[in-house]
Amino acid sequence: TGATLMNEMSSRSHSIFTIILEQRRRIVVGGEGAEGGEDDYVTAKFHLVDLAGSERAKRTGAAGNRFKESVSINSGLLALGNVISALGDPAKRGSHVPYRESKLTRLLQDSLGGNSRTVMVACVSCADGDFEETLNTLKYAHRARNIKNKPVVNHDPRTAQLA
């Protein structure tokens, strides 16, 4: 953590918390009371992501290591914005999606353009001084809203082969 002119207790980083759920169901062949059966696995993965805010160096007063941190944060957000634009823009459908531009986009690859539903919660401010950041956040969220995925239930392929 580190203080800037905009935020006294800034974490100065992105954070990702991943939860993987696996459900196992016993499929009994032959009706009630039959012995044996096969296991059916259904999995789900949740990425809970807290993105560090994009902050202008002039407003934060960042210098030295804080400035380097802000450059790194902004480059990750830019790469994520490029991926969101590539996935959400109908004119760019089928074109190259630059997942490898940052660690952040690489980690979120399956959540953004894969077999998933994506929800974005944007935190904004009603203060006049934060108007520009709020507007940029809303534009970013609007681009993310344009991503259209068609998720399907993930079944274990070993079980599907046996059926």
Side-chain angles (χ1 to χ4, degrees):
T1 62
T4 67
L5 295 179
M6 288 182 70
N7 190 343
E8 189 177 312
M9 295 293 294
S10 176
S11 66
R12 308 300 306 142
S13 63
H14 306 302
S15 61
I16 300 174
F17 182 71
T18 302
I19 303 168
I20 299 173
L21 299 175
E22 183 174 277
Q23 178 184 18
R24 184 179 76 173
R25 292 183 289 189
R26 169 83 51 189
I27 299 173
V28 179
V29 181
E32 293 281 330
E35 292 290 323
E38 299 159 357
D39 290 336
D40 179 37
Y41 290 92
V42 180
T43 60
K45 184 189 291 187
F46 294 92
H47 288 300
L48 305 174
V49 182
D50 180 18
L51 297 174
S54 174
E55 299 172 346
R56 291 198 174 12
K58 276 185 183 178
R59 289 197 63 196
T60 62
N65 285 339
R66 293 279 173 260
F67 180 73
K68 288 180 185 178
E69 288 172 355
S70 67
V71 168
S72 178
I73 289 167
N74 287 343
S75 67
L77 291 172
L78 177 64
L80 181 59
N82 291 339
V83 168
I84 288 171
S85 292
L87 292 170
D89 188 356
K92 295 181 180 180
R93 287 273 154 94
S95 66
H96 171 70
V97 180
Y99 291 115
R100 294 185 179 180
E101 285 186 8
S102 77
K103 290 178 185 177
L104 179 65
T105 55
R106 189 73 175 127
L107 285 169
L108 298 177
Q109 180 174 351
D110 58 341
S111 295
L112 293 168
N115 184 24
S116 63
R117 293 185 195 268
T118 302
V119 176
M120 180 176 185
V121 178
C123 297
V124 296
S125 171
C126 60
D128 291 342
D130 296 328
F131 175 76
E132 192 173 339
E133 282 84 4
T134 296
L135 183 61
N136 287 335
T137 300
L138 292 173
K139 287 178 182 179
Y140 201 88
H142 181 73
R143 286 187 298 161
R145 189 177 93 178
N146 291 334
I147 297 173
K148 303 294 183 211
N149 291 339
K150 295 176 183 165
V152 295
V153 176
N154 295 322
H155 288 282
D156 186 2
R158 292 173 286 163
T159 305
Q161 289 175 352
L162 297 174

